[in-house]
mmCIF file of all heavy atoms in Angstrom:
data_model
loop_
_atom_site.group_PDB
_atom_site.id
_atom_site.type_symbol
_atom_site.label_atom_id
_atom_site.label_comp_id
_atom_site.label_asym_id
_atom_site.label_seq_id
_atom_site.Cartn_x
_atom_site.Cartn_y
_atom_site.Cartn_z
ATOM 1 N N LYS A 1 -87.757 17.156 107.739
ATOM 2 C CA LYS A 1 -87.266 16.422 108.909
ATOM 3 C C LYS A 1 -86.429 17.327 109.810
ATOM 4 O O LYS A 1 -86.551 17.275 111.044
ATOM 5 C CB LYS A 1 -86.450 15.208 108.463
ATOM 6 C CG LYS A 1 -85.751 14.452 109.599
ATOM 7 C CD LYS A 1 -86.715 14.000 110.682
ATOM 8 C CE LYS A 1 -87.711 12.982 110.190
ATOM 9 N NZ LYS A 1 -88.538 12.448 111.313
ATOM 10 N N VAL A 2 -85.592 18.169 109.217
ATOM 11 C CA VAL A 2 -84.774 19.080 110.027
ATOM 12 C C VAL A 2 -85.665 20.079 110.764
ATOM 13 O O VAL A 2 -85.412 20.411 111.929
ATOM 14 C CB VAL A 2 -83.736 19.803 109.154
ATOM 15 C CG1 VAL A 2 -82.899 20.755 110.007
ATOM 16 C CG2 VAL A 2 -82.816 18.797 108.461
ATOM 17 N N VAL A 3 -86.725 20.569 110.108
ATOM 18 C CA VAL A 3 -87.697 21.431 110.794
ATOM 19 C C VAL A 3 -88.282 20.698 111.990
ATOM 20 O O VAL A 3 -88.395 21.257 113.091
ATOM 21 C CB VAL A 3 -88.822 21.878 109.824
ATOM 22 C CG1 VAL A 3 -89.933 22.585 110.603
ATOM 23 C CG2 VAL A 3 -88.275 22.801 108.744
ATOM 24 N N GLU A 4 -88.653 19.452 111.798
ATOM 25 C CA GLU A 4 -89.213 18.642 112.882
ATOM 26 C C GLU A 4 -88.226 18.491 114.033
ATOM 27 O O GLU A 4 -88.624 18.532 115.214
ATOM 28 C CB GLU A 4 -89.595 17.266 112.329
ATOM 29 C CG GLU A 4 -90.157 16.294 113.361
ATOM 30 C CD GLU A 4 -90.360 14.912 112.774
ATOM 31 O OE1 GLU A 4 -90.882 14.807 111.639
ATOM 32 O OE2 GLU A 4 -89.991 13.921 113.440
ATOM 33 N N LEU A 5 -86.960 18.335 113.714
ATOM 34 C CA LEU A 5 -85.935 18.163 114.751
ATOM 35 C C LEU A 5 -85.611 19.478 115.465
ATOM 36 O O LEU A 5 -85.050 19.468 116.561
ATOM 37 C CB LEU A 5 -84.665 17.576 114.133
ATOM 38 C CG LEU A 5 -84.781 16.138 113.623
ATOM 39 C CD1 LEU A 5 -83.561 15.759 112.802
ATOM 40 C CD2 LEU A 5 -84.969 15.166 114.786
ATOM 41 N N GLY A 6 -85.932 20.605 114.837
ATOM 42 C CA GLY A 6 -85.752 21.898 115.484
ATOM 43 C C GLY A 6 -84.324 22.376 115.596
ATOM 44 O O GLY A 6 -83.964 23.074 116.554
ATOM 45 N N VAL A 7 -83.483 22.032 114.616
ATOM 46 C CA VAL A 7 -82.081 22.455 114.651
ATOM 47 C C VAL A 7 -81.772 23.289 113.399
ATOM 48 O O VAL A 7 -82.467 23.189 112.392
ATOM 49 C CB VAL A 7 -81.129 21.245 114.723
ATOM 50 C CG1 VAL A 7 -81.341 20.485 116.022
ATOM 51 C CG2 VAL A 7 -81.304 20.324 113.519
ATOM 52 N N PRO A 8 -80.731 24.119 113.458
ATOM 53 C CA PRO A 8 -80.370 24.928 112.295
ATOM 54 C C PRO A 8 -79.509 24.173 111.301
ATOM 55 O O PRO A 8 -78.947 23.123 111.613
ATOM 56 C CB PRO A 8 -79.575 26.084 112.924
ATOM 57 C CG PRO A 8 -78.930 25.462 114.126
ATOM 58 C CD PRO A 8 -79.929 24.449 114.642
ATOM 59 N N ILE A 9 -79.420 24.756 110.099
ATOM 60 C CA ILE A 9 -78.521 24.250 109.050
ATOM 61 C C ILE A 9 -77.520 25.338 108.724
ATOM 62 O O ILE A 9 -77.886 26.504 108.527
ATOM 63 C CB ILE A 9 -79.302 23.889 107.773
ATOM 64 C CG1 ILE A 9 -80.179 22.658 107.990
ATOM 65 C CG2 ILE A 9 -78.337 23.638 106.600
ATOM 66 C CD1 ILE A 9 -81.087 22.332 106.813
ATOM 67 N N ILE A 10 -76.246 24.976 108.657
ATOM 68 C CA ILE A 10 -75.232 25.872 108.121
ATOM 69 C C ILE A 10 -74.760 25.312 106.786
ATOM 70 O O ILE A 10 -74.468 24.123 106.665
ATOM 71 C CB ILE A 10 -74.044 26.090 109.083
ATOM 72 C CG1 ILE A 10 -73.054 27.090 108.493
ATOM 73 C CG2 ILE A 10 -73.358 24.783 109.453
ATOM 74 C CD1 ILE A 10 -71.983 27.561 109.469
ATOM 75 N N TYR A 11 -74.740 26.175 105.764
ATOM 76 C CA TYR A 11 -74.287 25.775 104.440
ATOM 77 C C TYR A 11 -72.860 26.254 104.192
ATOM 78 O O TYR A 11 -72.506 27.379 104.566
ATOM 79 C CB TYR A 11 -75.148 26.425 103.348
ATOM 80 C CG TYR A 11 -76.563 25.958 103.247
ATOM 81 C CD1 TYR A 11 -77.583 26.667 103.869
ATOM 82 C CD2 TYR A 11 -76.906 24.832 102.490
ATOM 83 C CE1 TYR A 11 -78.909 26.265 103.754
ATOM 84 C CE2 TYR A 11 -78.225 24.427 102.371
ATOM 85 C CZ TYR A 11 -79.218 25.149 103.007
ATOM 86 O OH TYR A 11 -80.529 24.748 102.875
ATOM 87 N N HIS A 12 -72.072 25.435 103.522
ATOM 88 C CA HIS A 12 -70.925 25.995 102.832
ATOM 89 C C HIS A 12 -71.508 26.777 101.667
ATOM 90 O O HIS A 12 -72.257 26.239 100.861
ATOM 91 C CB HIS A 12 -69.990 24.913 102.304
ATOM 92 C CG HIS A 12 -68.900 25.469 101.456
ATOM 93 N ND1 HIS A 12 -67.719 25.939 101.991
ATOM 94 C CD2 HIS A 12 -68.831 25.689 100.116
ATOM 95 C CE1 HIS A 12 -66.968 26.409 101.010
ATOM 96 N NE2 HIS A 12 -67.623 26.270 99.863
ATOM 97 N N SER A 13 -71.204 28.060 101.585
ATOM 98 C CA SER A 13 -71.780 28.882 100.520
ATOM 99 C C SER A 13 -70.676 29.488 99.672
ATOM 100 O O SER A 13 -69.503 29.502 100.055
ATOM 101 C CB SER A 13 -72.663 29.985 101.098
ATOM 102 O OG SER A 13 -71.880 30.952 101.768
ATOM 103 N N GLY A 14 -71.071 29.987 98.516
ATOM 104 C CA GLY A 14 -70.105 30.589 97.604
ATOM 105 C C GLY A 14 -70.765 30.933 96.287
ATOM 106 O O GLY A 14 -71.994 30.903 96.170
ATOM 107 N N PRO A 15 -69.968 31.248 95.272
ATOM 108 C CA PRO A 15 -70.519 31.742 94.020
ATOM 109 C C PRO A 15 -71.149 30.680 93.127
ATOM 110 O O PRO A 15 -71.853 31.025 92.175
ATOM 111 C CB PRO A 15 -69.307 32.369 93.328
ATOM 112 C CG PRO A 15 -68.134 31.604 93.867
ATOM 113 C CD PRO A 15 -68.488 31.294 95.284
ATOM 114 N N THR A 16 -70.910 29.408 93.396
ATOM 115 C CA THR A 16 -71.479 28.374 92.544
ATOM 116 C C THR A 16 -72.965 28.218 92.830
ATOM 117 O O THR A 16 -73.428 28.426 93.953
ATOM 118 C CB THR A 16 -70.773 27.029 92.767
ATOM 119 O OG1 THR A 16 -70.835 26.688 94.153
ATOM 120 C CG2 THR A 16 -69.308 27.122 92.346
ATOM 121 N N GLY A 17 -73.736 27.839 91.814
ATOM 122 C CA GLY A 17 -75.181 27.809 91.923
ATOM 123 C C GLY A 17 -75.727 26.913 93.007
ATOM 124 O O GLY A 17 -76.734 27.223 93.637
ATOM 125 N N GLY A 18 -75.065 25.775 93.250
ATOM 126 C CA GLY A 18 -75.599 24.802 94.199
ATOM 127 C C GLY A 18 -75.661 25.277 95.619
ATOM 128 O O GLY A 18 -76.477 24.787 96.406
ATOM 129 N N ASN A 19 -74.795 26.223 95.990
ATOM 130 C CA ASN A 19 -74.800 26.722 97.365
ATOM 131 C C ASN A 19 -74.671 28.240 97.423
ATOM 132 O O ASN A 19 -74.131 28.791 98.376
ATOM 133 C CB ASN A 19 -73.711 26.062 98.198
ATOM 134 C CG ASN A 19 -72.325 26.098 97.585
ATOM 135 O OD1 ASN A 19 -71.486 25.275 97.918
ATOM 136 N ND2 ASN A 19 -72.043 27.036 96.697
ATOM 137 N N SER A 20 -75.174 28.923 96.415
ATOM 138 C CA SER A 20 -75.122 30.382 96.400
ATOM 139 C C SER A 20 -76.134 30.955 97.394
ATOM 140 O O SER A 20 -77.122 30.291 97.740
ATOM 141 C CB SER A 20 -75.452 30.914 95.005
ATOM 142 O OG SER A 20 -76.812 30.669 94.693
ATOM 143 N N PRO A 21 -75.928 32.187 97.867
ATOM 144 C CA PRO A 21 -76.920 32.800 98.757
ATOM 145 C C PRO A 21 -78.315 32.836 98.148
ATOM 146 O O PRO A 21 -79.311 32.653 98.854
ATOM 147 C CB PRO A 21 -76.357 34.210 98.972
ATOM 148 C CG PRO A 21 -74.875 34.040 98.844
ATOM 149 C CD PRO A 21 -74.716 33.021 97.753
ATOM 150 N N THR A 22 -78.402 33.044 96.839
ATOM 151 C CA THR A 22 -79.709 33.072 96.188
ATOM 152 C C THR A 22 -80.400 31.722 96.276
ATOM 153 O O THR A 22 -81.609 31.633 96.536
ATOM 154 C CB THR A 22 -79.577 33.488 94.715
ATOM 155 O OG1 THR A 22 -78.957 34.775 94.642
ATOM 156 C CG2 THR A 22 -80.927 33.543 94.045
ATOM 157 N N ALA A 23 -79.645 30.638 96.052
ATOM 158 C CA ALA A 23 -80.228 29.294 96.173
ATOM 159 C C ALA A 23 -80.679 29.028 97.605
ATOM 160 O O ALA A 23 -81.739 28.436 97.836
ATOM 161 C CB ALA A 23 -79.222 28.243 95.722
ATOM 162 N N ILE A 24 -79.885 29.490 98.575
ATOM 163 C CA ILE A 24 -80.243 29.295 99.981
ATOM 164 C C ILE A 24 -81.513 30.052 100.325
ATOM 165 O O ILE A 24 -82.355 29.570 101.091
ATOM 166 C CB ILE A 24 -79.071 29.719 100.886
ATOM 167 C CG1 ILE A 24 -77.879 28.762 100.679
ATOM 168 C CG2 ILE A 24 -79.490 29.721 102.351
ATOM 169 C CD1 ILE A 24 -76.596 29.220 101.340
ATOM 170 N N CYS A 25 -81.701 31.241 99.729
ATOM 171 C CA CYS A 25 -82.908 32.013 100.023
ATOM 172 C C CYS A 25 -84.150 31.299 99.511
ATOM 173 O O CYS A 25 -85.239 31.449 100.078
ATOM 174 C CB CYS A 25 -82.814 33.435 99.485
ATOM 175 S SG CYS A 25 -83.375 33.673 97.792
ATOM 176 N N ASN A 26 -84.018 30.496 98.442
ATOM 177 C CA ASN A 26 -85.150 29.697 97.969
ATOM 178 C C ASN A 26 -85.612 28.722 99.049
ATOM 179 O O ASN A 26 -86.816 28.507 99.235
ATOM 180 C CB ASN A 26 -84.783 28.919 96.717
ATOM 181 C CG ASN A 26 -84.439 29.780 95.527
ATOM 182 O OD1 ASN A 26 -83.672 29.378 94.659
ATOM 183 N ND2 ASN A 26 -85.002 30.984 95.451
ATOM 184 N N VAL A 27 -84.638 28.136 99.762
ATOM 185 C CA VAL A 27 -84.967 27.220 100.856
ATOM 186 C C VAL A 27 -85.611 27.983 102.009
ATOM 187 O O VAL A 27 -86.602 27.541 102.601
ATOM 188 C CB VAL A 27 -83.702 26.479 101.337
ATOM 189 C CG1 VAL A 27 -84.050 25.498 102.463
ATOM 190 C CG2 VAL A 27 -83.029 25.740 100.188
ATOM 191 N N ALA A 28 -85.071 29.157 102.321
ATOM 192 C CA ALA A 28 -85.619 29.977 103.407
ATOM 193 C C ALA A 28 -87.060 30.368 103.132
ATOM 194 O O ALA A 28 -87.894 30.404 104.045
ATOM 195 C CB ALA A 28 -84.758 31.221 103.603
ATOM 196 N N ASP A 29 -87.350 30.661 101.878
ATOM 197 C CA ASP A 29 -88.697 31.064 101.493
ATOM 198 C C ASP A 29 -89.675 29.895 101.616
ATOM 199 O O ASP A 29 -90.819 30.063 102.060
ATOM 200 C CB ASP A 29 -88.678 31.588 100.061
ATOM 201 C CG ASP A 29 -89.982 32.256 99.665
ATOM 202 O OD1 ASP A 29 -90.425 33.170 100.391
ATOM 203 O OD2 ASP A 29 -90.561 31.868 98.641
ATOM 204 N N LYS A 30 -89.235 28.708 101.251
ATOM 205 C CA LYS A 30 -90.107 27.529 101.278
ATOM 206 C C LYS A 30 -90.289 26.990 102.693
ATOM 207 O O LYS A 30 -91.352 26.439 103.029
ATOM 208 C CB LYS A 30 -89.532 26.443 100.368
ATOM 209 C CG LYS A 30 -90.418 25.216 100.245
ATOM 210 C CD LYS A 30 -89.816 24.177 99.315
ATOM 211 C CE LYS A 30 -89.921 24.565 97.864
ATOM 212 N NZ LYS A 30 -89.503 23.465 96.952
ATOM 213 N N PHE A 31 -89.267 27.168 103.547
ATOM 214 C CA PHE A 31 -89.301 26.617 104.910
ATOM 215 C C PHE A 31 -89.039 27.728 105.930
ATOM 216 O O PHE A 31 -87.942 27.832 106.487
ATOM 217 C CB PHE A 31 -88.268 25.497 105.063
ATOM 218 C CG PHE A 31 -88.507 24.323 104.159
ATOM 219 C CD1 PHE A 31 -87.854 24.228 102.938
ATOM 220 C CD2 PHE A 31 -89.401 23.333 104.520
ATOM 221 C CE1 PHE A 31 -88.080 23.147 102.096
ATOM 222 C CE2 PHE A 31 -89.637 22.246 103.685
ATOM 223 C CZ PHE A 31 -88.974 22.155 102.465
ATOM 224 N N PRO A 32 -90.020 28.586 106.190
ATOM 225 C CA PRO A 32 -89.803 29.746 107.068
ATOM 226 C C PRO A 32 -89.498 29.386 108.520
ATOM 227 O O PRO A 32 -88.970 30.230 109.262
ATOM 228 C CB PRO A 32 -91.124 30.525 106.952
ATOM 229 C CG PRO A 32 -92.131 29.510 106.514
ATOM 230 C CD PRO A 32 -91.383 28.553 105.624
ATOM 231 N N LYS A 33 -89.799 28.158 108.941
ATOM 232 C CA LYS A 33 -89.491 27.744 110.315
ATOM 233 C C LYS A 33 -88.105 27.116 110.434
ATOM 234 O O LYS A 33 -87.707 26.707 111.532
ATOM 235 C CB LYS A 33 -90.545 26.756 110.807
ATOM 236 C CG LYS A 33 -91.930 27.359 110.953
ATOM 237 C CD LYS A 33 -92.918 26.353 111.519
ATOM 238 C CE LYS A 33 -94.300 26.969 111.686
ATOM 239 N NZ LYS A 33 -95.271 26.000 112.246
ATOM 240 N N LEU A 34 -87.370 27.060 109.330
ATOM 241 C CA LEU A 34 -86.034 26.457 109.312
ATOM 242 C C LEU A 34 -84.983 27.554 109.343
ATOM 243 O O LEU A 34 -84.921 28.397 108.444
ATOM 244 C CB LEU A 34 -85.874 25.609 108.051
ATOM 245 C CG LEU A 34 -84.564 24.855 107.842
ATOM 246 C CD1 LEU A 34 -84.269 23.932 109.011
ATOM 247 C CD2 LEU A 34 -84.615 24.072 106.534
ATOM 248 N N ASN A 35 -84.176 27.579 110.391
ATOM 249 C CA ASN A 35 -83.116 28.584 110.501
ATOM 250 C C ASN A 35 -81.899 28.153 109.687
ATOM 251 O O ASN A 35 -81.376 27.046 109.871
ATOM 252 C CB ASN A 35 -82.722 28.795 111.963
ATOM 253 C CG ASN A 35 -83.799 29.530 112.740
ATOM 254 O OD1 ASN A 35 -84.508 30.379 112.186
ATOM 255 N ND2 ASN A 35 -83.942 29.212 114.012
ATOM 256 N N LEU A 36 -81.461 29.033 108.788
ATOM 257 C CA LEU A 36 -80.380 28.737 107.851
ATOM 258 C C LEU A 36 -79.240 29.716 108.045
ATOM 259 O O LEU A 36 -79.460 30.922 108.161
ATOM 260 C CB LEU A 36 -80.903 28.835 106.405
ATOM 261 C CG LEU A 36 -82.140 27.996 106.078
ATOM 262 C CD1 LEU A 36 -82.625 28.311 104.671
ATOM 263 C CD2 LEU A 36 -81.837 26.513 106.223
ATOM 264 N N ILE A 37 -78.027 29.194 108.057
ATOM 265 C CA ILE A 37 -76.825 30.017 108.218
ATOM 266 C C ILE A 37 -76.029 29.967 106.926
ATOM 267 O O ILE A 37 -75.649 28.891 106.468
ATOM 268 C CB ILE A 37 -75.967 29.515 109.393
ATOM 269 C CG1 ILE A 37 -76.790 29.478 110.690
ATOM 270 C CG2 ILE A 37 -74.724 30.397 109.557
ATOM 271 C CD1 ILE A 37 -76.140 28.677 111.803
ATOM 272 N N VAL A 38 -75.786 31.133 106.333
ATOM 273 C CA VAL A 38 -74.981 31.230 105.116
ATOM 274 C C VAL A 38 -73.514 31.249 105.523
ATOM 275 O O VAL A 38 -73.004 32.271 105.985
ATOM 276 C CB VAL A 38 -75.337 32.491 104.297
ATOM 277 C CG1 VAL A 38 -74.501 32.556 103.020
ATOM 278 C CG2 VAL A 38 -76.821 32.507 103.967
ATOM 279 N N GLY A 39 -72.853 30.106 105.410
ATOM 280 C CA GLY A 39 -71.454 30.028 105.804
ATOM 281 C C GLY A 39 -70.565 30.926 104.957
ATOM 282 O O GLY A 39 -70.815 31.125 103.771
ATOM 283 N N HIS A 40 -69.547 31.492 105.593
ATOM 284 C CA HIS A 40 -68.555 32.339 104.915
ATOM 285 C C HIS A 40 -69.162 33.630 104.365
ATOM 286 O O HIS A 40 -68.545 34.292 103.532
ATOM 287 C CB HIS A 40 -67.858 31.588 103.768
ATOM 288 C CG HIS A 40 -67.345 30.242 104.142
ATOM 289 N ND1 HIS A 40 -66.467 30.047 105.191
ATOM 290 C CD2 HIS A 40 -67.588 29.001 103.618
ATOM 291 C CE1 HIS A 40 -66.185 28.753 105.295
ATOM 292 N NE2 HIS A 40 -66.864 28.098 104.364
#
């Protein structure tokens, strides 16, 4: 839905698994048209 809306996502990121940079890259790989910002 966010891809359809054409807007970016910014994550609160950090060392915990739920929002780690590695977890975010999984989303980037699956949704290449979705712009993702790794917060902090």
Side-chain angles (χ1 to χ4, degrees):
K1 173 56 65 174
V2 180
V3 171
E4 178 187 316
L5 293 169
V7 296
I9 291 174
I10 183 169
Y11 292 96
H12 173 86
S13 69
T16 56
N19 51 203
S20 68
T22 302
I24 293 170
C25 88
N26 297 152
V27 181
D29 190 54
K30 184 179 286 188
F31 298 95
K33 294 183 179 180
L34 182 57
N35 288 327
L36 306 174
I37 304 165
V38 181
H40 311 304

